[in-house]
Amino acid sequence: MLLVDVSILNGKSGLRFVLLCKIKVSLSPLCSQGLFGVPELSGPAGFQMAQHQALREAEFLVHKACTHPPGAVTVETFDQLSDSLCRVADLADFIKVAHPDAAFREAAERTCVEIGTLVEILNTNVDLCQSLKNLLGNEAVLATLDSDTRRVAELFMFDFEISGIHLDESKRSKAVALNVKLLDLYHEFLNGSQLPNAIDKQVLPEHIRHCFSIDGNRVQIGGLHADSPNDLVREAAYKIFLYPNTSLLLCLDELLACRHELATLVGYESFSHRALKGTMAKTPGKIIRATSRDFKMMKEMKKKTHTTNPEVMPWDHAYLSSAIRTEMFNIDPSIYSPYFSLGACMEGLNRLFMQLLGVYFQAEQPKMGELWSEDVRKLVRFCPPSLYVLKQMGSCIYCFLCCQQAVVHETEGLLGYIYCDFFRRPDKPHQDCHFTIRGGRLREDGVYQLPVVVLMLSLPPPSGRTPSLLTPSMVENLFHEMGHAMHSMLGRTHYQHVTGTRCSTDFAEVPSILMEYFASDYRVLSQFARHYQTGEPLPENLVSRLCESKRACSAADTQLQIFYAALDQVYHGKPQYRSTTDILREVQEKFYGLPYVHDTAWQLRFSHLVGYGAKYYSYLMSRAVASMVWRQCFLQDPFSRVMGERYRREMLAHGGSKEPVLMVQGMLQKTPTIEDFVDALVLDLNANVKSPVL
């Protein structure tokens, strides 16, 4: 890739938590009508206008980059080009999945394809690349560049190289054709991975049919029903939902073959080697492994609850893990939810960020047409006097469906904007995710372009006089996504190409996973967790039980993630010339403790193969880093301003402008080894995230 890692490739069923590009069109200031304040986007046709405007500007910037003498302005022009295209692509990428109006979604989808195709063409533009070579090959000019500018120039060149710029004209054309073909395959696979499977209702026992959606004589099964207490429901859902789809199998085969052909065409041993260049892992061999110790406990639990089949099967994993935690620790979400109103949780985040970083949220009134749905609201700071008590507890029943939060630093002022689209609605994706709408950068007029992001969650809306009440897992997800948002807000880079979450994939999840540790610490929770009716604080023993419960079956959960990561690596390694299902069966037997189920193809529901191709291991790597940072820097004092400032200075501020290993080294004040990563994961399995006071 050249200018962007266009997140349109991620389609998002498993919507990528970190979207890496940004747009131009008139997003500054956010004050006019139209989505996100972009006047062109008052209707679906506006995407065509925004697209044409970005393409015209791209043409001008390409000419400027190719004709200007080499220097810092070369890198700045490349970054402006990236910004111009990416800002359109990212906004469209969000709207195509989040807007309730199909016309908007379709218009955004078309724009994604058009911008993505142009990017692939620019990736192999010889004249454009030559302007960068002229810069990097001129030692005298390079000596005048600061380290960030030089690194960004090298990253742009790296993007050219992995796109095949060094190839002859016919091979470059082939590389472009392969990339464009992959865009279509990604779209086909992502759409297919979300489609339900149907079966004649007579095939299912009558007493479980009501558990599924029935359309005439057909039963529609669109998920695994993994939390159902009925063993037969889980088994039926697993076998039907994962039943192989021949056309989708062919699509996946073609997708993997195209990726391998592209990787070898541009000089890599495999797509995995190409994808891991520039990451913390570096090569495919550094996959973290662990050993599961929990399946015996699951088997004992299944014997207690089921007599037909005492063996633990893949459809049992999630349910039995939850059952074990409930039995051992009495973790009933309904006990916790009254203490976790959404308003209280947002106030807790506000307090935490103020203590750690000197940053706070400030609600802003939206302009007409700025939001994308009728059920989207902005947080209104004024609350009727009759609700004053609720407001004081952060539990106002008027708490937002969506609000725009201005993020403000106590001395630096406004840092950026976060749109919080938090509540469930029809046709809205159920994944919790973070979207970058506009990345931060220093503009040519000396003004810093403020970042804009969206946090999308699937929380229960308020009802009557009852605020939105969150389960512990929802609280953890809220903190996780806010970690991404703050990474975007606090990444103060000169160039948008490396702003915020635009860093290596195996580092991008570190800030969000680190926030999960704060969400499990009683010292943090006690600052805001109050019963929404009585004001009673959350009892400390409930938090202690919750932390202990996370240890139950955590090894098996980690083993499952290792299986996913290993499968992703094998698929993107050297071709094996056998079916993806045969590969799945073999990898599952080697890396997972539960058997493969005949006539299933779980890989067809593994949508992360598109967005995280060869990088799914990133979750494990990021968790290991976050664990080390938490234990060394925040475990003794989760509110330490000294450590908070170091965290911003060493990790958040750089985005992708600094090698991720160097950022971790700066934070930990040591260079971690692969053994350190493994030890951190093992320590988590044994000790989890308890604070000393528990």
Side-chain angles (χ1 to χ4, degrees), residues 321-349:
S321 295
S322 177
I324 289 169
R325 291 172 182 133
T326 299
E327 180 181 84
M328 292 177 64
F329 304 101
N330 188 27
I331 304 302
D332 182 351
S334 65
I335 297 175
Y336 291 85
S337 291
Y339 298 93
F340 291 134
S341 71
L342 178 55
C345 293
M346 290 297 291
E347 178 59 27
L349 284 164

Side-chain angles (χ1 to χ4, degrees), residues 625-636:
V625 173
S627 173
M628 288 188 281
V629 171
W630 168 258
R631 294 180 189 286
Q632 180 171 317
C633 304
F634 295 108
L635 180 60
Q636 291 304 315

Side-chain angles (χ1 to χ4, degrees), residues 383-404:
C383 192
S386 61
L387 298 177
Y388 179 77
V389 177
L390 289 177
K391 178 65 176 178
Q392 288 300 97
M393 292 189 291
S395 307
C396 175
I397 63 172
Y398 290 148
C399 197
F400 47 92
L401 296 183
C402 174
C403 69
Q404 178 191 327

Side-chain angles (χ1 to χ4, degrees), residues 604-641:
L604 300 183
R605 304 296 182 178
F606 191 16
S607 58
H608 283 299
L609 285 173
V610 170
Y612 282 82
K615 296 180 183 179
Y616 190 82
Y617 76 91
S618 297
Y619 287 108
L620 290 170
M621 181 73 81
S622 293
R623 182 161 294 282
V625 173
S627 173
M628 288 188 281
V629 171
W630 168 258
R631 294 180 189 286
Q632 180 171 317
C633 304
F634 295 108
L635 180 60
Q636 291 304 315
D637 180 6
F639 309 111
S640 169
R641 185 62 176 267

Side-chain angles (χ1 to χ4, degrees), residues 363-391:
E364 290 207 349
Q365 187 70 25
K367 303 297 186 295
M368 184 178 298
E370 186 180 336
L371 305 178
W372 48 94
S373 176
E374 288 183 359
D375 68 355
V376 170
R377 299 289 185 273
K378 289 199 176 183
L379 179 59
V380 179
R381 293 157 65 190
F382 171 77
C383 192
S386 61
L387 298 177
Y388 179 77
V389 177
L390 289 177
K391 178 65 176 178

Side-chain angles (χ1 to χ4, degrees), residues 2-17:
L2 156 67
L3 307 167
V4 291
D5 180 1
V6 180
S7 48
I8 57 170
L9 308 185
N10 301 325
K12 213 111 177 175
S13 50
L15 289 161
R16 249 178 109 178
F17 285 131

Side-chain angles (χ1 to χ4, degrees), residues 67-128:
T67 57
H68 200 282
V73 69
T74 305
V75 182
E76 291 167 1
T77 303
F78 267 75
D79 195 63
Q80 290 175 43
L81 177 56
S82 177
D83 188 58
S84 180
L85 294 174
C86 290
R87 291 171 69 194
V88 174
D90 269 357
L91 193 150
D93 193 58
F94 169 71
I95 294 300
K96 77 177 185 181
V97 297
H99 205 288
D101 187 332
F104 268 96
R105 295 197 302 269
E106 291 165 6
E109 176 68 37
R110 289 193 295 271
T111 293
C112 284
V113 172
E114 291 297 326
I115 296 293
T117 301
L118 174 62
V119 167
E120 298 306 337
I121 294 172
L122 291 176
N123 286 346
T124 52
N125 184 309
V126 176
D127 293 336
L128 195 59

